[in-house]
Amino acid sequence: MGEQDVVETTDSGRMRQFTRALLDDLRALERMLDEDRFESGVRRIGAEQEMFLVDVAHRPSSTAVDVLEVLNDDSFTTELAKFNLEANASPRVFGGKCLSEMEAEIDALVDKARAAANACGAEVLLSGILPTARLSDLGLDNMTPMPRYFALNRAMKRFRGGEFRVDIKGLDELHCSHDNVMLEACNTSFQVHFQVAPAEFAKLYNVAQAITAPVMAVSVNSPILLEKRLWHETRVALFQQSVDARSTVNTARGERPRVDFGESWVNESILEIFREDISRFRSVLAIEREEPPDEVLNRGESPKLSALRLHNGTVYRWNRPCYGIGDDGTAHLRVENRVLPSGPTVVDEVANAAFFFGLMANFAESVEDITRTFAFDDAKANFFAAARHGLDAQFRWDKGKSYSADALILDELLPAAREGLTHGQIDSGDIDRYLGIIEERVRARKTGAQWALGSIASMAGQGTKEARLRALVAQTIDSQKAKRPIHTWPQATLDEDLHDWRNSYRTIGQFMTRDVFTVRPEDIVDLAAHVMEWEHVRHIPVEDDNNKLVGLVTYRDLMRIISRGDKGASVVVSDVMKADPVSIPPETSTLDAISIMRSQKLSCLPVTNADGQLIGIVTENDFLDVAKVLLVKELKRVDAPIQSDASLADCDPVD
């Protein structure tokens, strides 16, 4: 996330000072380009590995600060949330065994992080999105205690002028609002860097834009967010919306979001991108002004350009231009690809990176100007098609020719990537290993997203939804430890261990019914009666037009009306409902909910959010179903010989 010693740009004087530093940095960069002050003639690659920390129940573990203390290693740093970590791999020259060396280093970093996490009662997970994360995990109490993150949150909220909204449609639909930027913490990525010479920056940046879609299509690994099955790479939609600082007026004017693919090709140099981003996006954070960069240049040294780099770090292009300084003090330029998700395994990640690097290296030599035969709108449309559909996407490629994603990758791009890696003098064994993984993944049609969605589908009807998601995370961690590529993974299955089931029923929010049938106070009672009959329910919450819980109608209430001889067509719900019924928040422990129902002789409890809006319901039958599950499993565990011939042994858990 960059510099931590920052402040918000709320003070007008501080803002003017930072803006001056930003413009000075840009002019210094222009001078460096004119004077050829950058490293060239060598190609380097690098990577950043983001990861989740999860607890024994495979949910977010807010232990990052403790884990970093145990690690005591400068290769690791914080991320936005206390359940995120980032590890930085060493830059290395593009050639020889650089890919297998990168894999070995990242493997070692992940293993080291896992050992430190285990010492803190946590585990490491590589995944683009953590399937078990809940909205309640995304409060400011889970934000990493660094001034930069809180300043960023306050600034983004100030710019937006309201809550952040997320609306994503896939197999399911997700519509939610949140009062901070922590939704972004649901994303983790495997960011790769490709060093380019200044003279070739525009050409290779455009190449990166064009090839990002097919590389993403074979790498997708983020189909589930807040229990919803959405895009194959939901990170793309979530990241854009979770830090969308545009006000409604800005959006109406067509202002672009800070997370963006772009609107056009780059024509000449990296300056075009920096100038556009400074023009379009207000500064979010500021730092103290450093020594003027011209003075540093006059001494023959490379300036840090800290203001420019800070601003660039708050504009999230999927292919981001980067300025850096090597260990020898020489400045260089890089293209940072931010699309690749974390996981499923390190070897999968390096295979994805090899595919990207190989295409970059090939097109650097074989294509004079990709913009002459490739429409930018096609590149952008391909990008979103890949995010939504993965290998099922349809692409428009060179000269507008249409391809399916798998055909394009197998027939055109894998051979091109192989040529690029060969031209870069990459070890032939590495080329075969990593591009072979990509080919096998495409032929098996088994990306991380397809594996996750297939696993969830195979577990349909077993346990609770949360239990199925936790089983998915558990299987992912086990397979990651085995270091097997995703196309070899068996489908996840529900954990049969009793302890796992207990973790699935600790709070009401874990197993409450969310798909609730409701009526309005002004509806006729006859409607409520028919809904009960049609949907086989005995309780119907009553909500107003703002979804606030105002009452509850039970089967007994309807029986009482029938016994009085009242006509359902003339009686309205408000006449018979129990007004202001007892309700609970989703965080209520299951034991507390049972105690409330017993003490107050209730057969159900509506579940509401902090605003009193109905979000679910739990009934006596839900507890009966849980009891059946646990009783069957416990009896099978301790008394299998006694019940071997009993019908109980063949009972299936009730969902």
Side-chain angles (χ1 to χ4, degrees):
M1 293 288 290
E3 292 283 343
Q4 300 294 343
D5 188 17
V6 300
V7 297
E8 294 173 70
T9 52
T10 52
D11 178 83
S12 58
R14 188 68 176 273
M15 168 66 86
R16 288 192 293 270
Q17 184 184 57
F18 180 76
T19 303
R20 173 57 57 197
L22 188 57
L23 296 175
D24 287 347
D25 281 358
L26 193 61
R27 280 191 291 271
L29 178 62
E30 185 172 7
R31 175 181 165 184
M32 294 175 72
L33 291 169
D34 289 341
E35 296 176 359
D36 196 19
R37 296 278 196 112
F38 290 91
E39 182 178 45
S40 60
V42 62
R43 184 92 63 210
R44 288 188 176 86
I45 59 172
E48 301 169 44
Q49 175 72 71
E50 296 177 351
M51 61 197 83
F52 288 106
L53 297 170
V54 297
D55 60 20
V56 67
H58 303 114
R59 298 198 61 256
S61 175
S62 304
T63 53
V65 175
D66 296 331
V67 172
L68 284 169
E69 185 174 345
V70 172
L71 284 166
N72 191 28
D73 185 337
D74 290 341
S75 298
F76 294 89
T77 187
T78 60
E79 261 295 339
L80 180 61
K82 293 178 183 177
F83 49 80
N84 298 144
L85 273 186
E86 179 183 303
N88 293 290
S90 307
R92 45 186 32 91
V93 173
F94 184 61
K97 290 184 172 290
C98 65
L99 297 175
S100 54
E101 290 168 358
M102 175 182 283
E103 180 190 353
E105 181 184 11
I106 295 170
D107 247 337
L109 289 169
V110 172
D111 287 346
K112 187 172 184 178
R114 179 167 285 121
N118 292 167
C120 298
E123 182 57 87
V124 164
L125 172 74
L126 306 183
S127 179
I129 290 177
L130 176 57
T132 54
R134 304 175 192 155
L135 203 59
S136 58
D137 297 316
L138 307 176
L140 292 181
D141 58 324
N142 257 341
M143 182 175 281
T144 299
M146 293 286 187
R148 173 190 170 96
Y149 301 126
F150 288 94
L152 179 68
N153 178 66
R154 289 190 296 267
M156 290 291 195
K157 284 185 64 177
R158 188 174 72 253
F159 291 168
R160 183 165 177 81
E163 293 189 323
F164 298 88
R165 283 207 55 81
V166 171
D167 297 283
I168 310 172
K169 293 183 179 181
L171 280 172
D172 303 317
E173 295 186 15
L174 175 65
H175 305 284
C176 72
S177 59
H178 202 46
D179 62 358
N180 62 64
V181 300
M182 281 285 286
L183 277 163
E184 195 274 323
C186 289
N187 294 322
T188 60
S189 61
F190 181 72
Q191 299 165 16
V192 295
H193 297 253
F194 193 77
Q195 184 174 324
V196 300
E200 64 180 357
F201 178 87
K203 172 183 175 178
L204 288 185
Y205 185 85
N206 291 336
V207 167
Q209 292 282 79
I211 67 173
T212 287
V215 173
M216 175 167 47
V218 76
S219 308
V220 288
N221 184 32
S222 311
I224 299 170
L225 170 65
L226 301 181
E227 298 188 348
K228 304 294 186 181
R229 299 164 300 169
L230 303 170
W231 295 8
H232 280 223
E233 194 52 47
T234 303
R235 285 173 50 254
V236 168
L238 176 62
F239 195 18
Q240 178 171 320
Q241 297 180 43
S242 64
V243 292
D244 189 352
R246 297 175 297 174
S247 67
T248 53
V249 173
N250 297 145
T251 304
R253 287 206 312 251
E255 182 178 304
R256 281 163 41 189
R258 297 183 90 95
V259 178
D260 193 33
F261 183 79
E263 294 295 332
S264 62
W265 300 119
V266 175
N267 294 315
E268 295 181 359
S269 82
I270 193 173
L271 290 170
E272 294 172 42
I273 300 177
F274 287 139
R275 287 168 178 164
E276 180 180 23
D277 288 349
I278 293 171
S279 301
R280 287 189 179 277
F281 302 112
R282 295 166 59 188
S283 296
V284 176
L285 305 171
I287 54 175
E288 292 290 346
R289 184 179 177 89
E290 297 177 333
E291 180 182 10
D294 271 343
E295 295 181 12
V296 180
L297 286 172
N298 291 340
R299 293 199 304 269
E301 300 173 5
S302 299
K304 293 181 180 179
L305 305 187
S306 298
L308 182 62
R309 292 163 77 177
L310 177 61
H311 186 269
N312 189 46
T314 63
V315 180
Y316 308 96
R317 291 177 180 262
W318 289 107
N319 284 297
R320 176 189 274 170
C322 291
Y323 167 91
I325 302 174
D327 292 337
D328 64 353
T330 305
H332 62 264
L333 301 179
R334 308 185 307 276
V335 176
E336 177 192 27
N337 183 280
R338 304 170 54 80
V339 166
L340 299 179
S342 178
T345 60
V346 173
V347 69
D348 282 308
E349 294 174 328
V350 177
N352 300 338
F355 189 30
F356 177 78
F357 294 148
L359 290 175
M360 289 288 284
N362 176 278
F363 285 20
E365 301 298 328
S366 65
V367 176
E368 182 177 348
D369 184 356
I370 200 169
T371 68
R372 294 181 181 177
T373 58
F374 206 119
F376 183 85
D377 286 350
D378 286 344
K380 188 169 185 175
N382 292 347
F383 175 80
F384 286 105
R388 288 187 175 95
H389 306 297
L391 288 175
D392 293 326
Q394 294 290 319
F395 294 149
R396 290 179 65 85
W397 201 246
D398 191 42
K399 298 179 181 177
K401 185 177 179 180
S402 295
Y403 290 86
S404 63
D406 53 356
L408 177 64
I409 292 167
L410 292 173
D411 298 342
E412 303 284 341
L413 298 185
L414 273 174
R418 181 174 291 274
E419 289 180 12
L421 294 176
T422 301
H423 184 271
Q425 299 183 328
I426 302 299
D427 177 78
S428 60
D430 279 9
I431 296 174
D432 292 341
R433 171 175 167 77
Y434 297 113
L435 295 189
I437 286 173
I438 297 296
E439 180 177 357
E440 290 171 17
R441 193 190 303 163
V442 176
R443 294 195 185 281
R445 297 192 62 78
K446 197 183 220 182
T447 61
Q450 288 165 315
W451 173 81
L453 293 172
S455 293
I456 290 297
S458 71
M459 291 187 280
Q462 302 176 43
T464 63
K465 180 183 288 186
E466 195 212 38
R468 296 191 288 270
L469 294 175
R470 291 172 57 252
L472 192 73
V473 173
Q475 177 72 39
T476 301
I477 292 172
D478 288 344
S479 295
Q480 284 174 359
K481 289 179 179 178
K483 303 182 180 181
R484 301 191 303 264
I486 183 65
H487 68 272
T488 68
W489 288 15
Q491 285 188 329
T493 56
L494 200 60
D495 189 347
E496 293 294 321
D497 183 78
L498 184 63
H499 177 70
D500 185 69
W501 281 92
R502 286 174 178 164
N503 281 330
S504 296
Y505 293 100
R506 293 192 180 280
T507 65
I508 291 301
Q510 292 177 279
F511 64 95
M512 68 184 182
T513 300
R514 297 176 185 273
D515 186 14
V516 183
F517 296 96
T518 66
V519 292
R520 298 293 191 269
E522 63 273 16
D523 289 336
I524 58 174
V525 166
D526 198 36
L527 173 63
H530 278 86
V531 171
M532 285 185 178
E533 178 185 357
W534 296 333
E535 302 301 335
H536 308 290
V537 295
R538 300 175 64 86
H539 313 84
I540 298 186
V542 185
E543 59 182 351
D544 64 16
D545 292 337
N546 296 315
N547 302 114
K548 286 193 174 183
L549 178 71
V550 296
L552 182 71
V553 177
T554 68
Y555 183 75
R556 289 180 181 177
D557 295 327
L558 297 185
M559 290 299 98
R560 193 176 301 113
I561 293 173
I562 293 173
S563 67
R564 293 201 310 255
D566 292 334
K567 298 295 184 181
S570 61
V571 179
V572 295
V573 168
S574 59
D575 293 334
V576 300
M577 71 181 189
K578 292 181 174 65
D580 300 320
V582 176
S583 64
I584 56 174
E587 298 82 17
T588 303
S589 76
T590 301
L591 291 177
D592 286 344
I594 292 173
S595 176
I596 292 170
M597 292 176 72
R598 281 178 173 172
S599 64
Q600 301 195 37
K601 295 182 171 53
L602 302 174
S603 57
C604 76
L605 279 171
V607 185
T608 56
N609 62 19
D611 296 322
Q613 295 170 311
L614 183 73
I615 59 174
I617 191 170
V618 62
T619 70
E620 288 177 325
N621 281 340
D622 292 318
F623 292 118
L624 181 61
D625 291 343
V626 174
K628 287 179 182 177
V629 168
L630 298 179
L631 179 62
V632 169
K633 291 185 177 298
E634 181 66 6
L635 288 176
K636 284 182 176 180
R637 184 178 69 85
V638 302
D639 204 19
I642 294 177
Q643 62 157 321
S644 59
D645 296 326
S647 60
L648 184 61
D650 297 321
C651 287
D652 289 323
V654 180
D655 187 11

